[in-house]
Amino acid sequence: MSLSSWARNRWVVEHTTSPEEIAGLLGVADRDLRDCRAKGLSDDWRLAIAYNAALQCAVAALSASGYRASRESQHFRIIQSLSLTLGSDDKLVKQLDAFRKKRNVSDYERAGEVSTAEADEMAALANALRQQVEEWLRQNHPGLLPK
């Protein structure tokens, strides 16, 4: 499967990005990577913040590839797109999707469902993805990185 076939299925739509958009997305990720380590936050909230950092990194990769996710199942599509943009393995995509589901439960259904270990793991995953996206941009779309 390719992003163009995803576009035919209307899972993504064509999108023209800019260095400013990519810088903004990575800036949100950087802020969230800092904030998820703040003292006094619940593990639920730490996971949600770290998840958002990872999501913004995935959005940056999708945008740099010339697409944005359609509204339906947007977070799911963004996470799944990592296999097509960065060439991420199934394990990473499955981990992020599991954290997406965990975040949904803690945000919308029940508090206290996230452990400290899970929040730490999500933060580490988001940090690694942030570094991976920047390296991928440097190699594949250097014109989109800030000067």
Side-chain angles (χ1 to χ4, degrees):
M1 182 129 342
S2 66
L3 285 171
S4 59
S5 64
W6 277 33
R8 284 191 298 279
N9 288 324
R10 297 191 177 136
W11 296 340
V12 295
V13 295
E14 289 187 5
H15 173 71
T16 302
T17 193
S18 66
E20 294 78 18
E21 180 184 25
I22 299 299
L25 291 165
L26 296 178
V28 170
D30 290 342
R31 177 208 60 203
D32 288 351
L33 286 169
R34 282 189 308 273
D35 289 357
C36 74
R37 289 177 174 80
K39 301 286 184 212
L41 295 177
S42 69
D43 291 326
D44 290 352
W45 195 233
R46 289 180 54 235
L47 183 133
I49 296 168
Y51 168 82
N52 192 60
L55 188 69
Q56 299 313 308
C57 292
V59 170
L62 187 58
S63 294
S65 297
Y67 294 92
R68 67 175 171 78
S70 61
R71 293 277 179 203
E72 184 180 335
S73 303
Q74 190 174 37
H75 286 205
F76 175 78
R77 303 266 186 245
I78 291 167
I79 290 168
Q80 297 298 312
S81 75
L82 287 168
S83 64
L84 302 173
T85 55
L86 302 184
S88 297
D89 64 18
D90 233 17
K91 181 182 176 193
L92 173 69
V93 172
K94 285 180 181 178
Q95 279 181 295
L96 285 171
D97 196 49
F99 282 126
R100 176 187 66 82
K101 292 173 185 175
K102 185 72 124 168
R103 182 203 65 99
N104 285 349
V105 169
S106 71
D107 274 6
Y108 303 115
E109 297 174 23
R110 291 182 301 281
E113 294 291 311
V114 176
S115 70
T116 300
E118 289 169 321
D120 290 345
E121 183 181 355
M122 183 63 243
L125 192 61
N127 191 56
L129 185 59
R130 171 63 176 86
Q131 292 171 13
Q132 186 180 4
V133 167
E134 185 162 347
E135 183 57 34
W136 177 83
L137 285 166
R138 199 175 314 291
Q139 291 176 6
N140 296 283
H141 302 281
L144 291 176
L145 285 171
K147 306 281 183 226

